[in-house]
Amino acid sequence: ERAIAADPNHADNLGNYAVFLKDVRRDYDRAEVMYERAIAADPNHADNLGNYAVFLKDVRRDYDRAEVMYERAIAADPNHADNLGNYAIFLQDVRRDADRAEVMYERAIAADPNCVITLYNYARFLHHDRRDYDRAEAMYERAIAADPKYALALGKYADFLVTIRCDYGRAEIMYERAVAADPADVDNLFNYAAFLHDVRRDYDRAEAMYERFIEAAPDYGQ
């Protein structure tokens, strides 16, 4: 607030304060005011445009305005990997436009070939939307190479190896790595427990993993 009082048109400070109000205070009305002030101060600030697009998508559910902001953000910086990746998710999940989504994923990866979140999201897109399993596997492996401790990628790759490849040895290695990377990730704990129960028939280890899952998420499903 002192920074903004000192310079009411400082786009970086306005945008950062908007993020704070959204993520920390969860004061969405004030956050939106700050996003709008930030964009008025600098209409071509790619970070602020992209963050406001995410806000409009996730908080306001105003998908038309969100898409306008994504497009403005990408026009302002065509190689902004985060904005390209977020727009790809929007096109995939909201617009159900797989072709445009894939273009954005590829642009995002070209802009930053080692962004683990984009690599992981693209792998899941290829896995579930395209059912292109060879490319999906390559992308899961790239995501894990980019960040060997990214629990989401490790866990989903393990699921892929079970359901698509039936490669139970590699799947178990991935589940163990996923649980080691994030011992509190309830999805990985549950999926690994189910794997131990259904595939390995190792009921003692399965029970231990289910107990860890319950400890991590005592209110799961309620």
Side-chain angles (χ1 to χ4, degrees):
E1 289 176 347
R2 288 178 60 184
I4 291 166
D7 184 351
N9 295 309
H10 194 293
D12 287 342
N13 290 339
L14 291 164
N16 289 336
Y17 190 28
V19 172
F20 171 85
L21 291 168
K22 169 182 173 281
D23 293 342
V24 178
R25 296 299 190 203
R26 301 192 186 281
D27 186 336
Y28 300 131
D29 291 339
R30 289 172 66 206
E32 185 160 15
V33 169
M34 283 301 146
Y35 278 125
E36 291 176 345
R37 284 184 59 183
I39 291 166
D42 183 353
N44 296 307
H45 194 294
D47 284 344
N48 290 338
L49 290 164
N51 288 336
Y52 189 29
V54 172
F55 173 89
L56 291 169
K57 170 183 173 280
D58 293 342
V59 176
R60 296 303 193 201
R61 312 288 185 190
D62 187 336
Y63 300 131
D64 290 340
R65 279 204 298 154
E67 185 159 16
V68 169
M69 286 298 151
Y70 280 125
E71 291 176 346
R72 285 183 59 183
I74 291 165
D77 183 352
N79 295 308
H80 194 297
D82 288 343
N83 289 339
L84 291 163
N86 288 335
Y87 190 29
I89 294 169
F90 174 89
L91 293 168
Q92 176 185 353
D93 294 343
V94 176
R95 297 303 191 203
R96 307 291 184 188
D97 189 334
D99 291 340
R100 289 171 67 206
E102 186 159 12
V103 169
M104 288 298 147
Y105 277 125
E106 291 176 348
R107 287 181 59 183
I109 291 168
D112 184 354
N114 296 308
C115 180
V116 64
I117 294 173
T118 302
L119 293 166
Y120 164 72
N121 286 330
Y122 190 29
R124 293 196 68 198
F125 170 84
L126 293 168
H127 178 181
H128 296 291
D129 289 57
R130 292 300 198 200
R131 300 186 188 277
D132 187 335
Y133 300 133
D134 291 341
R135 290 171 65 210
E137 184 164 14
M139 209 54 60
Y140 280 126
E141 291 176 346
R142 282 186 62 181
I144 292 166
D147 185 350
K149 294 185 178 181
Y150 189 61
L152 282 175
L154 291 163
K156 292 302 179 186
Y157 187 32
D159 296 342
F160 173 91
L161 290 169
V162 171
T163 58
I164 303 301
R165 299 303 193 202
C166 298
D167 187 336
Y168 302 133
R170 282 200 297 154
E172 185 161 8
I173 291 169
M174 289 298 151
Y175 279 127
E176 289 175 349
R177 289 179 59 184
V179 171
D182 185 354
D185 187 300
V186 295
D187 289 333
N188 288 336
L189 290 168
F190 181 84
N191 290 337
Y192 189 26
F195 171 86
L196 291 169
H197 180 272
D198 297 339
V199 176
R200 292 305 194 200
R201 309 286 185 181
D202 187 335
Y203 301 126
D204 291 339
R205 290 171 65 208
E207 184 171 12
M209 202 57 59
Y210 279 126
E211 288 173 351
R212 289 182 59 179
F213 162 75
I214 292 167
E215 184 179 352
D219 300 322
Y220 189 84
Q222 296 183 8

